[in-house]
Amino acid sequence: MKDRASRQPSLPYVVEDCLGLLQVLSDGTVLRFSPPPFPAGAAYDDGRVEWQDAVYDAGNNLGVRMYRPTTRSGAGAAAEHTKKKKLLPVLVYFPGGGFCFGSYSYPKNHALCLRFAAELPAVVCSFDHRLPAAFEDAMAALLWLPGQVLRSPWLAGRADPGRVFVSGTSSGACIAHQMAARFGTTGLRPLEIAGYILLMPYFLSEEATPSELSTPETALLSRERSDMYVRLAMPAEWNKDHPLVNPFGPYSSSLALAAADVGRVLVVAAECDLVRDKNLEYAQRIKALGKDVRLALFPGQEHAFCANKPLSAAADEVIRLMKRFIL
């Protein structure tokens, strides 16, 4: 006769742990945890920018953090724009995180968006999204934006409806690509999307590239970590050739992007990055489609360097590059 303890059902156990931020249990339960503070560095909020949080999708409780340069005297470029009564470009920003984590509320993302707002200068809207509905949420975010730019007290009169730029880092840059295929430049009328900025997009393929094969396991984005993100984020029957991460793979169609007027496209790649080769290939392919694409390869840098080190000299250069791009 079996004892009572042996007849008790076994408790769920962890089968996948993503950096302590997301866990999948043996019974299919998904647990999410609050992130560590991810400190961005000292004194990055210097008063040049004001910001506030809002909800863009009440049904799913999805938020956005909006930034705008202050208008008080001494605010540098922002004050000059105010004096000349010029409207500021709008930068839509989707944070990265392998589609598994990441938020505008992470201090490093917050610090980077403060810099974008102050130094481009621009009105910045940084959107959160869900797994696995990232692209649907991003479309909802962009469809929410026109009403805010035109009518909300926070953005109306400060944001230029004719100069919207859609951007993101890593998986957020994958989202920006999908928005280019979906909206082009005219799909948000009366807003005009002037261009797209993809910072080290998390593009992959089932066939490993030289940059993937040469990436050490100690890298921020290693092959092991990348494989984990794919297992967690992609549908169970899919691999790295899923159209969401391989936009020119065997199951993808380039027709949507080929047909779309996407304006200007800026692709920023890092030399010491697992996805470097796919980033370079992407820039070459969209150029071959007749698009106006600019490519910048940062030597010696790792994946998502400007988001992970938003106060670094390399981040300074990315912001200068973006500033020249949006002018």
Side-chain angles (χ1 to χ4, degrees):
M1 180 177 178
K2 294 182 179 179
D3 60 37
R4 180 173 299 177
S6 68
R7 296 196 301 270
Q8 295 296 317
S10 59
L11 295 175
Y13 56 90
V14 176
V15 295
E16 193 92 62
D17 183 284
C18 181
L19 307 179
L21 301 175
L22 182 151
Q23 290 182 342
V24 180
L25 304 186
S26 56
D27 64 356
T29 300
V30 177
L31 303 177
R32 298 179 185 276
F33 302 93
S34 298
F38 294 124
Y44 61 85
D45 191 350
D46 57 8
R48 291 182 296 169
V49 172
E50 54 191 354
W51 54 275
Q52 73 171 22
D53 293 341
V55 174
Y56 73 89
D57 183 341
N60 292 301
N61 194 31
L62 293 172
V64 54
R65 182 163 290 177
M66 300 180 291
Y67 303 79
R68 64 186 186 189
T70 58
T71 56
R72 62 176 179 272
S73 176
E80 287 301 312
H81 273 266
T82 301
K83 290 176 185 177
K84 297 175 183 178
K85 300 186 182 301
K86 287 186 177 180
L87 297 176
L88 294 170
V90 179
L91 183 73
V92 173
Y93 182 72
F94 295 105
F99 297 110
C100 296
F101 59 90
S103 169
Y104 62 69
S105 64
Y106 284 20
K108 288 184 179 182
N109 290 331
H110 181 58
L112 184 61
C113 287
L114 286 169
R115 294 200 64 188
F116 287 156
E119 297 172 42
L120 291 175
V123 170
V124 179
C125 295
S126 182
F127 291 94
D128 272 352
H129 53 77
R130 300 165 295 164
L131 175 70
F135 298 107
E136 291 84 352
D137 291 342
M139 285 191 288
L142 289 188
L143 292 171
W144 171 89
L145 189 62
Q148 302 301 307
V149 169
L150 297 174
R151 292 185 291 275
S152 80
W154 183 259
L155 297 182
R158 302 289 296 278
D160 187 343
R163 286 194 298 158
V164 177
F165 293 84
V166 180
S167 67
T169 298
S170 190
S171 58
C174 293
I175 294 174
H177 158 77
Q178 294 290 335
M179 298 305 100
R182 168 63 177 81
F183 290 102
T185 60
T186 60
L188 280 185
R189 293 290 193 192
L191 301 191
E192 189 85 16
I193 300 180
Y196 293 83
I197 302 171
L198 280 60
L199 305 176
M200 291 146 284
Y202 181 55
F203 293 146
L204 302 167
S205 63
E206 193 61 17
E207 181 179 353
T209 63
S211 63
E212 183 176 352
L213 293 172
S214 64
T215 298
E217 284 305 310
T218 55
L220 175 71
L221 181 63
S222 64
R223 293 186 72 186
E224 179 181 8
R225 186 168 291 180
S226 177
D227 289 347
M228 175 182 63
Y229 294 154
V230 171
R231 286 195 305 273
L232 291 171
M234 296 300 109
E237 68 276 12
W238 279 96
N239 56 27
K240 297 176 191 175
D241 280 334
H242 192 289
L244 300 183
V245 291
N246 190 353
F248 292 102
Y251 306 104
S252 301
S253 171
S254 62
L255 294 178
L257 191 60
D261 176 10
V262 297
R264 290 169 283 151
V265 179
L266 172 63
V267 179
V268 172
E271 179 187 24
C272 305
D273 189 356
L274 180 145
V275 297
R276 180 198 67 211
D277 291 346
K278 299 305 292 185
N279 288 180
L280 302 184
E281 177 191 357
Y282 178 81
Q284 292 167 355
R285 283 179 174 264
I286 62 173
K287 184 176 182 179
L289 293 173
K291 308 306 177 185
D292 180 359
V293 59
R294 296 95 186 272
L295 171 67
L297 177 63
F298 278 71
Q301 297 298 327
E302 282 195 281
H303 185 69
F305 64 90
C306 54
N308 288 303
K309 297 179 180 178
L311 307 181
S312 65
D316 295 347
E317 183 56 33
V318 170
I319 292 172
R320 285 193 289 269
L321 181 67
M322 291 173 61
K323 184 172 183 175
R324 292 194 296 269
F325 179 77
I326 69 176
L327 288 178

